[in-house]
């Protein structure tokens, strides 16, 4: 699959618009139904991130580092904006994406021992990320779906459970 830069930008703008609606629902409970619409935002951004990782990135290490840097920069703002809403500490969505990209990177480099250690460390940390372990695993599922179309059922399964049963059909 090849996307033009215009198609990628269009997807980003759709996701940003829907993300704003989702955040409106966080602030104003009477717009709760925007949460249903908002369930597609993370899968769209994850898709774009993996598409760029595979097709538009010459240095994957720097790409992953940039995601981590932006995750660190945005965490204080995220914490300030959403701590009262979630009622507990949570890492922003860029950390979820960073962990997913790192998982893919270790698989690509065939660093199995490091991947095993990574899994042992990141699994408990995932409880503090957006969408938990399924949010992290969505990126490798998209990655493998690009490489092998026959395993698309893994992606569909993760998407189904990503937002919980209440939102499952909207995420799909």
């Amino acid at each position: 699959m090849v996307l033009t830069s215009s198609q990628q930008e269009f997807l980003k703008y759709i996701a940003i618009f829907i993300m704003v609606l989702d955040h409106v629902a966080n602030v104003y409970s009477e717009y709760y139904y925007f949460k249903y619409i908002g369930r597609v935002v993370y899968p769209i951004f994850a898709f774009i991130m993996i598409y760029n990782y595979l097709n538009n990135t010459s240095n994957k290490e720097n790409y992953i580092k940039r995601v981590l840097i932006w995750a660190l920069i945005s965490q204080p703002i995220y914490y300030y904006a959403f701590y009262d809403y979630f009622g507990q500490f949570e890492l922003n969505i860029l950390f979820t994406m960073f962990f997913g990209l790192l998982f893919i990177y270790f698989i690509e480099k065939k660093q199995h021992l490091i991947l095993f250690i990574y899994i042992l460390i990141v699994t408990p940390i995932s409880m503090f990320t957006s969408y938990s372990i399924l949010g992290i695993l969505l990126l490798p599922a998209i990655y493998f779906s690009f490489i092998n179309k026959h395993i698309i059922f893994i992606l569909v399964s993760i998407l189904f459970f990503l937002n919980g049963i209440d939102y499952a059909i909207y995420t799909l």
Side-chain angles (χ1 to χ4, degrees), residues 53-54 60 103-111 143:
Y53 180 84
L54 287 170
K60 293 180 178 183
F103 186 89
I104 293 166
Y105 180 77
F106 291 144
I107 288 173
E108 285 183 336
K109 295 297 181 184
K110 297 182 181 9
Q111 297 178 343
Y143 171 84

Side-chain angles (χ1 to χ4, degrees), residues 18-35 39 77-78 80-86 167:
I18 296 170
M19 180 177 61
V20 169
L21 293 178
D22 184 67
H23 290 183
V24 165
N26 286 342
V27 177
Y28 303 104
S29 60
E30 63 268 20
Y31 297 109
Y32 68 92
Y33 48 89
F34 286 166
K35 294 300 279 179
R39 299 305 86 199
I77 299 162
Y78 178 82
Y80 177 75
F82 291 109
Y83 180 75
D84 287 339
Y85 175 73
F86 293 121
Y167 297 109

Side-chain angles (χ1 to χ4, degrees), residues 40-127:
V40 301
V41 173
Y42 179 62
I44 292 171
F45 279 130
F47 172 85
I48 293 168
M49 181 163 279
I50 296 303
Y51 182 85
N52 286 326
Y53 180 84
L54 287 170
N55 299 301
N56 298 327
T57 303
S58 58
N59 187 329
K60 293 180 178 183
E61 292 90 0
N62 282 342
Y63 186 77
I64 295 169
K65 286 177 190 173
R66 282 193 308 271
V67 172
L68 175 61
I69 289 167
W70 282 109
L72 292 169
I73 290 170
S74 61
Q75 184 60 37
I77 299 162
Y78 178 82
Y79 181 80
Y80 177 75
F82 291 109
Y83 180 75
D84 287 339
Y85 175 73
F86 293 121
Q88 64 183 22
F89 177 77
E90 183 177 284
L91 296 169
N92 68 61
I93 197 71
L94 291 173
F95 280 104
T96 307
M97 292 177 158
F98 166 74
F99 291 132
L101 286 171
L102 207 54
F103 186 89
I104 293 166
Y105 180 77
F106 291 144
I107 288 173
E108 285 183 336
K109 295 297 181 184
K110 297 182 181 9
Q111 297 178 343
H112 302 296
L113 179 61
I114 294 175
L115 181 62
F116 177 74
I117 294 167
Y118 163 87
I119 291 169
L120 289 177
I121 294 170
V122 170
T123 300
I125 293 172
S126 73
M127 294 184 301

